[in-house]
Amino acid sequence: MASYDVIIIGSGPGGYVCAIRCAQLGLKVACVEGRETLGGTCLNIGCIPSKALLHASHMLHEAEHNFAAMGLKGKSPSVDWKQMLCYKEETIAQNTKGIEFLFKKNKVDWLKGWGSIPEAGKVKVGEEVHEAKNIIIASGSEPATLPGVEVDEKVVVTSTGALELGKVPKKMVVIGAGVIGLELGSVYARLGSAVTVVEFLDVITPGMDAEVQKTFQKILKKQGLEFIMGAAVQKTESTKTKAKVHYKLRQDDSEHILDADTVLVATGRKPYTQGLGLDALGLKMSSRGQIEVNDKWETSVPGIYAIGDVIDGPMLAHKAEDEGMAAAEQVAGKHGHVNYGVIPGVIYTHPEVANVGLTEDALKEAGHAYKVGKFSFMGNGRAKANFAGDGFVKILADKSTDRILGAHIIGPAAGDLIHEICVAMEFGASAQDLAMTCHAHPTYSEAVREAALACGDGPIHM
Ligand code: FAD
Ligand code: NAI
């Protein structure tokens, strides 16, 4: 038995960042992980592998669509799927080994195995029970499936199976036009699959800015994705190689069937708390299966904290990381804090989609007087040169104070551009502060400045 200041259960972005920060703050720390490798969903079966496949398939798309126009002639590359999967695996390994290195460097003990909490102050891993003054649960999430849809991870898959299909399917049906459905749907569409996305609502990516939703769907359609909107999937039927997806259109209750080689179920994720022994501990849970915490990430049981996908809030790696750092600081007697109003969201399709802060709909609903500054990438020289003129930057600012309230970007490098606005919002900046900051030319970030100018006297290049 070993004794620690902190034991963290789960080594995803929440858990591993928390462990490293605890060690930096002088605490004796261990992290329990049941997987073979560190890094959680994000590094093993989430953010990293999906971005590797998005990158490779985007390169193919560029070669097929834009190379000839730039005077780059020759045969387009063909897809060696096995090699693409090797590249993805190699990318995962580099990242997970990187966390192992960081654990060693920071003297974080990796307790290998599945952990449970027999009582406050104790963590059981295998047959061993370790003592911990503080326990932090960072056990993450798992895919939420649908009734009537049986996942076999071969023909009917979640994102996990979709990252290691035996071959590129001819026909893929994606259930759910959320982040996973559109990212992985884009991957397979670029690789040659006929992709049909079936979405329950009338809009894609629920919760996002309405103008972005419309533009995004139009662009994805141009890229070959088909959409069936307002459709509730009832069930799937599958053999070893094919599946049928039964759905009902909400507007007239008519029933339809789609054939597919692969069905990707991407209808959300749910917290993962299996095997932790939380019932016996009497830990308070929400009706959605999340662990309830206060503003210091303390659960209802003293000495036990929770962070990341297993608690409320957006299920994002960087949100989990921020909570990991803040919870470590709380445990160390400092004042860890997360500004939940400034957590960016990014969809890594092409173009990328990014947002931070409030949407126009939310402002309208709150009766908040606001102004909009918008600038199209068509007016951005760099974007035009790079065949990346689709999309826009939209900044929402308070009508009287000019303080930035939110931003919504669809366009090239949107996932990077959004951070300039995040920093501005953290500092309580006005749109004019951004507009008066010199931006290098020619860069995509000039479009952010132009949108900020559009909140005032107007953009220059439009
Ligand atoms: P997780 O990463 O889920 O890690 C939890 C870990 O805890 C797991 O390794 C699990 O094995 C371990 N564990 C659980 N219970 C126990 C136990 N009892 N004992 C020991 N170990 C245990 N987010 C982004 O921000 N950007 C993206 O681009 C992005 N892409 C994604 C793509 C896909 C396909 C998916 C599925 C998700 C993606 N996400 C992305 C979401 C992101 O992966 C999660 O928000 C993030 O991983 C949550 O971190 P976490 O630390 O809370 O949990
Ligand atoms: P999601 O919540 O983003 O989207 C699910 C979609 O499925 C919604 O549009 C919903 O209306 C639809 N749906 C639900 N039931 C349906 C039904 N019966 N028939 C048809 N459609 C139905 O969930 P998703 O895409 O599974 O992602 C899960 C989580 O993973 C998200 O919370 C996201 O934050 C995270 N993630 C983040 C990424 C990023 O940051 N780039 C990438 C991938 C995942």
Side-chain angles (χ1 to χ4, degrees):
M1 184 206 279
S3 190
Y4 292 93
D5 292 319
V6 191
I7 295 183
I8 296 149
I9 302 180
S11 73
Y16 85 73
V17 167
C18 185
I20 292 170
R21 182 54 114 215
C22 283
Q24 287 172 338
L25 294 171
L27 300 170
K28 184 165 185 243
V29 56
C31 183
V32 189
E33 177 54 64
R35 272 179 211 280
E36 305 260 302
T37 48
L38 299 171
T41 302
C42 179
L43 272 61
N44 290 282
I45 50 166
C47 327
I48 295 301
S50 59
K51 266 76 253 180
L53 294 183
L54 278 158
H55 177 66
S57 58
H58 176 58
M59 293 289 108
L60 176 70
H61 186 269
E62 284 290 283
E64 286 172 344
H65 293 84
N66 294 330
F67 274 19
M70 289 187 281
L72 298 170
K73 297 222 167 146
K75 230 174 108 217
S76 279
S78 58
V79 177
D80 178 345
W81 179 236
K82 268 198 180 148
Q83 177 55 32
M84 204 178 278
L85 291 181
C86 284
Y87 150 69
K88 178 210 71 174
E89 287 301 322
E90 181 55 28
T91 310
I92 294 172
Q94 279 174 12
N95 281 277
T96 56
K97 281 185 191 139
I99 307 299
E100 246 184 281
F101 165 79
L102 290 174
F103 271 14
K104 281 188 190 132
K105 183 182 159 200
N106 287 284
K107 300 195 172 45
V108 175
D109 287 348
W110 174 7
L111 305 177
K112 294 186 184 178
W114 298 99
S116 59
I117 310 173
E119 60 187 275
K122 291 199 164 54
V123 174
K124 189 169 178 218
V125 186
E127 291 311 310
E128 279 196 69
V129 178
H130 304 272
E131 278 182 355
K133 287 187 201 129
N134 302 281
I135 298 169
I136 299 181
I137 303 171
S139 52
S141 63
E142 62 177 344
T145 48
L146 291 173
V149 174
E150 204 170 308
V151 171
D152 58 15
E153 294 296 11
K154 294 236 161 2
V155 174
V156 181
V157 299
T158 65
S159 54
T160 307
L163 292 167
E164 50 185 23
L165 292 179
K167 59 180 183 196
V168 175
K170 285 206 172 76
K171 276 192 197 167
M172 175 180 255
V173 170
V174 175
I175 309 176
V179 196
I180 291 181
L182 299 182
E183 285 188 353
L184 292 178
S186 289
V187 166
Y188 286 100
R190 291 168 190 168
L191 297 178
S193 305
V195 176
T196 304
V197 183
V198 184
E199 166 59 47
F200 181 79
L201 300 172
D202 297 322
V203 291
I204 66 169
T205 56
M208 197 169 276
D209 176 86
E211 275 184 280
V212 171
Q213 284 172 333
K214 277 191 205 133
T215 306
F216 190 25
Q217 194 176 356
K218 226 190 267 172
I219 293 171
L220 290 172
K221 276 187 187 164
K222 259 204 311 200
Q223 292 176 1
L225 277 85
E226 279 189 32
F227 289 90
I228 300 174
M229 306 302 291
V233 168
Q234 308 293 300
K235 62 173 181 180
T236 54
E237 291 172 305
S238 54
T239 65
K240 277 190 176 153
T241 52
K242 301 247 177 251
K244 285 186 188 304
V245 177
H246 296 247
Y247 68 90
K248 215 184 221 184
L249 284 181
R250 289 197 294 129
Q251 59 176 16
D252 57 9
D253 268 355
S254 58
E255 293 185 10
H256 306 263
I257 300 175
L258 285 170
D259 289 314
D261 303 304
T262 303
V263 178
L264 166 59
V265 189
T267 49
R269 293 179 64 81
K270 58 179 185 193
Y272 182 80
T273 53
Q274 217 175 300
L276 286 169
L278 302 188
D279 278 354
L281 278 172
L283 212 91
K284 225 167 149 190
M285 310 287 285
S286 77
S287 57
R288 297 173 58 202
Q290 296 155 327
I291 298 176
E292 290 199 354
V293 293
N294 64 15
D295 60 0
K296 294 184 173 125
W297 300 277
E298 291 166 321
T299 68
S300 58
V301 176
I304 303 183
Y305 297 69
I307 55 170
D309 278 12
V310 80
I311 67 169
D312 194 20
M315 287 178 154
L316 297 172
H318 42 284
K319 176 260 192 187
E321 288 183 28
D322 278 23
E323 288 174 345
M325 281 198 280
E329 281 162 21
Q330 290 290 346
V331 167
K334 297 183 182 292
H335 301 282
H337 167 76
V338 175
N339 181 358
Y340 287 101
V342 186
I343 293 183
V346 179
I347 307 180
Y348 299 85
T349 43
H350 192 80
E352 290 183 350
V353 178
N355 62 75
V356 64
L358 297 169
T359 60
E360 215 173 334
D361 282 343
L363 288 167
K364 275 184 197 151
E365 212 172 291
H368 196 132
Y370 66 94
K371 53 189 172 174
V372 183
K374 216 174 132 186
F375 188 78
S376 163
F377 280 101
M378 282 298 178
N380 178 274
R382 184 74 178 274
K384 274 195 290 212
N386 294 359
F387 298 114
D390 277 343
F392 56 84
V393 179
K394 175 172 170 180
I395 293 177
L396 303 165
D398 184 279
K399 193 158 190 175
S400 55
T401 65
D402 196 37
R403 189 179 175 139
I404 301 169
L405 303 169
H408 305 274
I409 309 178
I410 176 164
D416 290 305
L417 296 182
I418 199 73
H419 294 97
E420 154 172 19
I421 301 167
C422 294
V423 173
M425 286 175 74
E426 280 287 353
F427 281 82
S430 65
Q432 198 184 15
D433 290 326
L434 267 189
M436 301 208 27
T437 304
C438 184
H439 284 63
H441 175 77
T443 58
Y444 297 138
S445 60
E446 286 174 289
V448 174
R449 182 193 202 178
E450 294 270 16
L453 280 164
C455 288
D457 296 330
I460 302 296
H461 294 93
M462 203 169 302

